[in-house]
Amino acid sequence: MRSKLGKYRTPYLFIAPFFVLFAAFVLSPIVYSLWLSLQEVVGIYVPLQFVGLKNYLDLVSDPRFLHSLVVTFTYTFFQVTIMVVLAVILALILDQRTLRGRNVYRLVFFFPVITSFIVAAMVFKLLLDKEIGLFNMLLRAVHMRTHAWLEDPTYALPSLITIGIWRWVGYQMVILLAGLQNIPAELYDSARVDGAGSLRIVFRITLPLLFPVIFFVIVMSVIGSLQLFDEPFILNMHGGGAGSGGPADSMLSTAIYLYQTGFLDFRLGYASAVGYVLTVVILAISLLQILTFGKRAGFAEI
Amino acid sequence: MNERGARVFASLTTLAFLLCASAAFAGGTSESTSGKKVQLVVWAWDKRATDTTWAASQEFMKLHPNIEVQAVNFGTQDAHDKVLTALVSGVGAPDLFLMEYWAVGRFEAMGALADLTDQLSDYQANYSPAVWALVSYKDRVYGLPFDGGPAAIFYRKDIFDNAGIPFPTNWQDFAAAGRKLAANGIYILPVQGEVATLWLFGRHASVSDYDGKILFDNPQVVDTYQWLGDRIAKDKSIYYKLPWDPSSYELIKSGKIAAVAAGFWYSGFGISDLAYTPDLSGKWRIAGWLPWKAGDGATGSFLGGAGFFVPKQSQHVKEAAEWMKFVLGRPESEYDQATKSGIFPFQLGAMKQLATQTPALYGGQQIYQTMMDELSAAPPVIYGPNYAPILNALNTALDRIALQGVPAADAIRDAAAQADRERVVK
Amino acid sequence: MNGSLDGYGGEVARRISLYLLLTAASIVMLTPFYWSLVASFKSQSELFDLPNVFIRQPTLANYAQLFGQTLFVRWFVNSCLVAIAYTVLVLFFCSLGGFAFAKYRFPGRNGLFIALLSSTMIPPWVTIIPIFSWFSRLHLVNSYLSVILPGSANVFGLFLMRQYIQGVPSSLLDAARVDGCKEFGIYARIVIPIIAPALGALTIFAFLGSWNSFLNALILLRTPDMFTFPVGMSSLVGSMNPQYGVLMACAVISVVPTSIIFFTMQKQLVAGITLGATKE
């Protein structure tokens, strides 16, 4: 027994520091959260009150929570779909060796990734303002209808999606470019010999071979988008107050709702339940994706 | 093996020590104690608040050499949310903090405030009943007012004169005036979010009782919000943004907004600062809150405003109360603040002293007198402990009425159900 | 479609339209940066004058106000301290852990690794409430530690390190063992130098991640003197009278450190981004 433990001592020691932190700041909070989701905070000097599954039962009939899920899913579906399509197109274009200045273009598209979201959100808030924003000014110049892009419930979510795409499309493009680099050049050559046109090559050879990378990009983006918080938080800081859900709650993502319940109303138990349901949703969606397309994408071997 | 492990842990501990040291180095502001002096930590979110109370604080320190006042300016209005976070976590709460009146009920319900009834009840006579109601709750006193938001309508006399419209005397006439101005491409008001509650309190509508019961699902509130929604969506005479939104400032400066409805404090940073251009000076006037329709009696309303309060956690409740009495309780120090930074004084004594003043910005009008008249007609406002979810729900309701054409009856009913579900105090 | 534009002429037309398209897209991508740069040199009154794409009277007043009247310098220093400490922790823990996962066999290895990977799907909001609770009990709310430690078990970093170290030939490590090198010595003297490029990539990620991180800091930091840069900036946004010129100045300066890192370490950054995705 002793010798066996001794044999594995080194790797365990090596992962120990990481694991201690992981246990302290990821694992145990997850467990604590589960416990907290069964309680309710009553007052500052009053102990927590055990309420069982009440918080979860309340969630099912909470229209704002359900609405927040709709907002989150809508955002995720459109943001990820449009962004990935654009990123694939950009990667295919910028992968062409004959294209001059392609490194400059790559830099340009990547640049938003390194900006802090708060800076991005702030600038967009001013650019998209109804009266004084640059965007509406341009629209007026060409006699098109202007809108309150961030204050009108119809346009608020689409604007948010656009900002999300602007921010992350370059990041996904870089991953896809790397994936393209791994496709052997001979495959293209032999296809060309067979007389295939360039569009045909893209659809028959490039995209299928790139699928594992595209799949990776989709899975990761979906996880990120479902956690949407930063941008709507800053965009709505001024009008409706910090943590508001935007015009007519049109930007109320589940994470924003969690913030409202937990840190503005101090209903910590309910907020934990919101967080737990969101986690389960994200896990389920990721698993679903991996189970349906994972094999084809070679996701089995990590 | 041992040696290796030791090395790993040695480096780990060193790191941890370094980090802890750096953390301790910059640690909390309230923990440090210099000698035997009592440290009073004061939190406010507005530079104006820390600046104006600072002069009085220094005098206070001279009178009480054993007390050192430390003022921290937060910058954001969620300062009192941070106080609540501090209280929940049990550390780092200040001894005094500035809090909007609407939050008093919530803090009281959570048992977060020190009861200052014994120290402060003598001061009740200095304030009008509606004002005293803002710092007390269920007959207990928790603080003193710092600035006040008696409702005010700031309007450009020249714009109304040019359009040949006499300044309206009730809100129905005001709507008609708005339609005329809208025909000239001028908005009559910027209104959004919490500003809309001015009309509710002006009509003496209750949103909640002291125990947190939601009361705003009634015909009066529906009627008021439908009226506002129609002005925004049908007449297009109300600009649907907050008066302190940057675009509102721009429209005010360029003469595209004729009036602003807000608390009196808007004079301090809006009219005289962010929406100010020299050629607007003297063109502004102030009116008190208008009656709802012709024939209704005089009324008043409130928006915002804040007082200083003491968290129960403070170790220096007695000293904090002394600070309040000295810095906020004396008419002369309030008078000082009003003349220096345009903060509306709430004490009857200070108000009387100011009544004859005629700031140039308002073309020689006795604005404090106008506000005093308004205040005497103002009803006491009950925010209750659940005002945060109430306001959130009402804001969403107005969005739905004004932007999505939802009938007010439906929007208000949904909002009441939402606020009821999200009650902090059940 | 291309029938009429066959041959060389068609190719040229295609190229030109491609460049036009890319350039237009680039302008869209860069407009926000350009606008904030321009706005930071404008006075508040000129900020929203139309047309607002050019500066008529450049002023440094916003920058002066940023440095003189806000705690910006303090926030900047806080952010640097936090980001550096965080990066050091992540580099050390992830490379050591990644080494163990890549080069040792031990019971529970795969299970642990999968558990770690799936934890990345958990939104940070689930953990923030307990973390807040932990730190308040330790009386460490509003300390640097409270924003450094929680994210430092960086699973992405561990994954990156493991992927890279798997590519290090085991024969090298065995040779060192034969020479009498202890296990930690192998890590410190052999593995670390070989994986230097990957460490470079992780440095950037960790630094950028910490620099831009908001949630934890928003909840855990409470007094303005302890704010990191994003929280400080959000406090400027949230005030009743935001000075937009000052905010834009703040925005411009905030991009400087990340841009420097980005432009000097581009190669490592790209290598880091792509390593996880394209390694088979």
Side-chain angles (χ1 to χ4, degrees), chain B residues 212-232:
Chain B
K213 195 159 172 251
I214 308 295
L215 299 174
F216 67 79
D217 188 9
N218 62 56
Q220 205 178 26
V221 173
V222 170
D223 183 39
T224 310
Y225 269 55
Q226 187 66 59
W227 183 85
L228 281 168
D230 288 346
R231 304 291 80 76
I232 297 159

Side-chain angles (χ1 to χ4, degrees), chain A:
Chain A
M1 192 64 210
R2 221 195 113 119
S3 69
K4 201 174 177 190
L5 203 80
K7 196 173 141 199
Y8 298 122
R9 201 169 152 179
T10 311
Y12 283 136
L13 263 180
F14 282 2
I15 61 166
F18 186 95
F19 215 77
V20 167
L21 282 175
F22 182 78
F25 296 111
V26 185
L27 209 56
S28 54
I30 291 172
V31 177
Y32 180 83
S33 232
L34 186 63
W35 177 79
L36 198 59
S37 73
L38 306 174
Q39 323 270 329
E40 201 42 273
V41 179
V42 191
I44 291 171
Y45 302 100
V46 188
L48 294 171
Q49 205 172 37
F50 185 81
V51 293
L53 288 175
K54 183 178 175 296
N55 288 329
Y56 289 96
L57 294 175
D58 286 353
L59 269 182
V60 180
S61 58
D62 179 348
R64 274 189 98 210
F65 172 70
L66 300 176
H67 171 71
S68 83
L69 286 178
V70 173
V71 170
T72 308
F73 283 131
T74 315
Y75 174 85
T76 304
F77 179 78
F78 286 103
Q79 195 258 353
V80 173
T81 312
I82 301 171
M83 175 182 69
V84 171
V85 169
L86 284 178
V88 169
I89 294 173
L90 279 176
L92 288 173
I93 293 175
L94 294 180
D95 191 45
Q96 296 174 318
R97 259 146 250 266
T98 50
L99 192 80
R100 249 176 246 181
R102 62 193 185 125
N103 283 331
V104 177
Y105 287 122
R106 285 181 189 187
L107 280 184
V108 167
F109 290 115
F110 191 79
F111 205 60
V113 176
I114 64 159
T115 51
S116 162
F117 75 91
I118 174 168
V119 172
M122 211 43 248
V123 175
F124 272 102
K125 190 172 164 56
L126 293 176
L127 281 177
L128 296 177
D129 190 276
K130 182 174 192 287
E131 294 291 326
I132 54 179
L134 180 65
F135 188 57
N136 274 352
M137 197 189 89
L138 293 175
L139 287 182
R140 269 184 222 116
V142 294
H143 301 289
M144 281 172 73
R145 268 197 79 171
T146 59
H147 295 283
W149 300 104
L150 294 169
E151 284 91 18
D152 188 329
T154 320
Y155 300 102
L157 195 57
S159 302
L160 197 63
I161 291 169
T162 312
I163 295 171
I165 295 169
W166 174 84
R167 183 103 198 281
W168 291 110
V169 69
Y171 188 87
Q172 317 302 356
M173 178 198 75
V174 168
I175 298 181
L176 292 164
L177 274 170
L180 284 172
Q181 237 121 79
N182 288 0
I183 297 175
E186 307 92 70
L187 281 176
Y188 292 121
D189 296 341
S190 58
R192 231 165 255 128
V193 170
D194 293 347
S198 38
L199 261 187
R200 216 180 139 82
I201 292 180
V202 165
F203 280 106
R204 285 291 167 81
I205 297 177
T206 319
L207 288 183
L209 284 173
L210 195 60
F211 184 73
V213 182
I214 297 177
F215 181 73
F216 175 85
V217 164
I218 292 174
V219 172
M220 297 315 279
S221 319
V222 167
I223 293 175
S225 292
L226 288 174
Q227 300 179 4
L228 174 72
F229 175 82
D230 295 347
E231 281 87 352
F233 185 83
I234 295 295
L235 284 173
N236 297 313
M237 221 168 164
H238 206 236
S244 107
D249 270 347
S250 54
M251 296 195 219
L252 185 81
S253 72
T254 309
I256 292 275
Y257 188 53
L258 195 158
Y259 179 85
Q260 278 189 6
T261 50
F263 291 92
L264 295 183
D265 298 347
F266 276 89
R267 294 149 70 209
L268 291 178
Y270 198 67
S272 299
V274 173
Y276 245 86
V277 175
L278 182 59
T279 306
V280 171
V281 165
I282 293 176
L283 275 171
I285 290 180
S286 306
L287 274 180
L288 195 73
Q289 286 177 315
I290 292 170
L291 289 178
T292 6
F293 295 107
K295 270 260 159 58
R296 251 183 89 198
F299 218 69
E301 359 42 280
I302 300 163

Side-chain angles (χ1 to χ4, degrees), chain C residues 74-112:
Chain C
R74 181 78 204 235
W75 299 336
F76 202 85
V77 172
N78 285 346
S79 266
C80 287
L81 283 178
V82 168
I84 290 168
Y86 173 81
T87 307
V88 169
L89 279 184
V90 166
L91 283 179
F92 177 62
F93 293 159
C94 291
S95 58
L96 195 62
F99 176 46
F101 275 113
K103 291 294 172 191
Y104 293 87
R105 299 194 155 275
F106 53 92
R109 184 176 79 152
N110 288 338
L112 271 182

Side-chain angles (χ1 to χ4, degrees), chain B residues 186-269:
Chain B
I186 297 173
Y187 293 110
I188 197 160
L189 286 175
V191 176
Q192 198 184 20
E194 66 208 79
V195 178
T197 60
L198 276 168
W199 280 267
L200 294 184
F201 297 132
R203 293 183 79 182
H204 301 210
S206 307
V207 293
S208 164
D209 65 8
Y210 281 118
D211 295 318
K213 195 159 172 251
I214 308 295
L215 299 174
F216 67 79
D217 188 9
N218 62 56
Q220 205 178 26
V221 173
V222 170
D223 183 39
T224 310
Y225 269 55
Q226 187 66 59
W227 183 85
L228 281 168
D230 288 346
R231 304 291 80 76
I232 297 159
K234 288 199 185 126
D235 296 355
K236 299 200 192 308
S237 60
I238 287 181
Y239 180 55
Y240 195 47
K241 285 238 184 168
L242 291 166
W244 47 93
D245 187 276
S247 67
S248 293
Y249 294 141
E250 293 313 306
L251 294 184
I252 291 170
K253 284 193 234 169
S254 58
K256 295 237 168 84
I257 287 180
V260 175
F264 181 80
W265 43 260
Y266 190 76
S267 174
F269 74 80

